[in-house]
């Protein structure tokens, strides 16, 4: 049987009306055709000129290759390393599938859906998610500026995937044993300035405290910032101790804004995060900061291609 040429296949495809389902299948098939050298080239380019990850010495020489990557030997400590040593992606395999998987990250696919598209096992898909996302989400602003809104959102604590529970198991979508915010809830603190720069912090269980605010917010807020929050006492104590100008809105009394004094931007981020999180059918508390960082990364729209994500993920921690 005569093999078809690409031009003949292309002409056939252009003549056939494709449904939305057909287009999705075609895009997935094209995305699965990966050049193994493309990913390695991106990794090597991103790590070019990097000093030894163990001692910081810049005097190195080439020392063979392994797993497709150039190895180097440090003249200071004598240890060898490659471009992924000291990064979240160290010792991961199947590099030819990484760019396809990173496209699934950009599309917010579930673990099983991404595994099906890339052609790996679901446990591999889960492992990659919590290696690539923490690496890429380190692309975050060092400080916030001008007017900063801060507020926290709470989610019921989850030990999903744990082998040893510290409490009695409950069904997914359960409720806390007591009313109100208590130690059964995880606190996710989000600070966002009016330019859209966002920072997120998992402060632990229960309501946020002034000490936690000082630990999370003080390093990222300059002295001339205006901090806006709700009426929680912890923010007032923190602002007074840190010497930061502070305004608050009495949300409990139904006051949403006083002119430019409001926290609607950060609350809007909370709403988008909760809506986006539904597709994953519950996340474990220990991974909550990974998912908030994932949403923050997508919301910022700085990393928009698999190559961008890969270059951010291979930066040392």
């Amino acid at each position: 049987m005569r093999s078809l040429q690409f031009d003949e296949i292309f002409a056939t495809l252009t003549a056939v009306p494709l449904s939305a389902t057909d287009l999705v299948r075609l895009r997935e098939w094209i995305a699965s055709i990966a050049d193994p050298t493309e990913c390695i080239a991106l990794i090597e380019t991103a790590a070019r000129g990097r000093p030894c990850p163990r001692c910081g010495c810049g005097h190195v020489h080439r020392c063979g290759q392994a797993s497709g990557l150039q190895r180097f030997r440090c003249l200071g400590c004598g240890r060898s390393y490659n471009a992924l040593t000291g990064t979240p992606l160290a010792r991961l395999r199947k590099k030819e599938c990484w760019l396809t998987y990173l496209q699934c990250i950009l599309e917010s696919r579930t673990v099983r859906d991404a595994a099906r598209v890339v052609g790996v096992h679901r446990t591999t898909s889960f492992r990659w998610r919590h290696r690539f996302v923490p690496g890429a989400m380190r692309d975050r602003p060092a400080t916030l500026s001008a007017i900063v809104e801060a507020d926290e959102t709470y989610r019921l604590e989850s030990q999903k995937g744990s082998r040893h529970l510290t409490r009695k198991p409950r069904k997914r979508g359960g409720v806390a044993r007591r009313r109100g915010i208590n130690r059964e809830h995880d606190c996710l603190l989000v600070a966002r300035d009016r330019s859209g720069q966002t920072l997120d912090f998992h402060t632990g269980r229960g309501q946020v405290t002034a000490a936690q605010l000082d630990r999370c917010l003080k390093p990222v807020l300059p002295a001339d910032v205006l901090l806006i929050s709700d009426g929680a006492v912890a923010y007032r104590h923190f602002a007074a101790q840190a010497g930061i100008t502070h305004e608050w809105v009495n949300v409990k009394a139904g006051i949403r804004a006083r002119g430019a004094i409001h926290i609607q931007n950060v609350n809007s981020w909370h709403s988008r995060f909760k809506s986006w999180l539904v597709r994953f059918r519950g996340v474990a508390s220990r991974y909550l900061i990974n998912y908030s960082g994932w949403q923050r990364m997508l919301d910022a729209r700085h990393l928009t291609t698999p190559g961008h994500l890969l270059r951010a993920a291979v930066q040392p921690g």
Side-chain angles (χ1 to χ4, degrees), residues 92 101 111 122-132:
L92 291 185
Y101 188 81
V111 166
R122 63 180 181 274
T123 57
T124 301
S125 177
F126 181 81
R127 186 184 308 111
W128 284 6
R129 168 183 291 182
H130 293 291
R131 292 284 196 95
F132 284 112

Side-chain angles (χ1 to χ4, degrees), residues 36 47 58 74 79 117 134 147 153 167 198 226 242 259 268 288-289 305 309:
C74 174
R79 303 286 292 274
V117 171
I147 301 176
T153 186
R167 52 162 173 77
T198 307
L226 171 61
S268 177
L288 179 60
I289 192 63
T305 67
L309 283 180

Side-chain angles (χ1 to χ4, degrees), residues 43 47 50 53 69-70 81-92 95 98 310 313-314:
I43 294 171
R50 183 181 301 167
L69 292 173
Q70 175 68 53
Y81 66 94
N82 63 23
L84 296 180
T85 303
T87 74
L89 309 187
R91 298 183 179 86
L92 291 185
K95 296 179 182 63
W98 286 7
L310 182 60
V314 299

Side-chain angles (χ1 to χ4, degrees), residues 97 100-101 104 109-126 128-129:
C97 299
T100 306
Y101 188 81
C104 294
R109 291 182 180 265
T110 63
V111 166
R112 285 176 172 80
D113 195 18
R116 178 185 58 81
V117 171
V118 180
V120 296
H121 195 270
R122 63 180 181 274
T123 57
T124 301
S125 177
F126 181 81
W128 284 6
R129 168 183 291 182

Side-chain angles (χ1 to χ4, degrees), residues 26-59:
L26 183 60
R27 290 192 185 102
E28 290 180 353
W29 179 76
I30 293 175
S32 67
I33 305 175
D35 181 3
T37 62
E38 181 182 2
C39 180
I40 291 176
L42 287 170
I43 294 171
E44 299 280 16
T45 301
R48 185 171 297 160
R50 183 181 301 167
C52 173
R54 295 184 175 89
C55 70
C57 178
H59 299 287

Side-chain angles (χ1 to χ4, degrees), residues 112-186:
R112 285 176 172 80
D113 195 18
R116 178 185 58 81
V117 171
V118 180
V120 296
H121 195 270
R122 63 180 181 274
T123 57
T124 301
S125 177
F126 181 81
R127 186 184 308 111
W128 284 6
R129 168 183 291 182
H130 293 291
R131 292 284 196 95
F132 284 112
V133 169
M137 76 186 209
R138 290 178 303 183
D139 179 63
R140 53 189 278 150
T143 60
L144 303 177
S145 60
I147 301 176
V148 176
E149 304 173 21
D151 196 17
E152 67 277 6
T153 186
Y154 295 90
R155 297 189 59 81
L156 193 61
E157 172 267 344
S158 171
Q159 298 183 31
K160 181 179 180 181
S162 298
R163 294 181 180 272
H164 305 287
L165 300 182
T166 60
R167 52 162 173 77
K168 292 184 178 180
R170 59 169 177 259
K171 292 184 178 180
R172 181 183 297 161
V175 296
R177 292 175 296 176
R178 295 179 293 160
R179 296 180 61 183
I181 303 301
N182 53 62
R183 297 289 298 177
E184 296 181 68
H185 293 86
D186 288 304

Side-chain angles (χ1 to χ4, degrees), residues 266-312:
V266 70
N267 285 338
S268 177
W269 193 96
H270 287 164
S271 178
R272 292 195 300 275
F273 174 61
K274 291 176 181 177
S275 299
W276 173 82
L277 204 62
V278 170
R279 72 192 69 193
F280 302 113
R281 300 178 181 271
V283 300
S285 295
R286 64 182 181 275
Y287 295 127
L288 179 60
I289 192 63
N290 287 358
Y291 286 90
S292 65
W294 186 356
Q295 168 60 15
R296 174 175 50 77
M297 178 190 70
L298 296 175
D299 197 61
R301 299 178 182 176
H302 293 155
L303 308 176
T304 56
T305 67
H308 292 162
L309 283 180
L310 182 60
R311 282 191 289 268

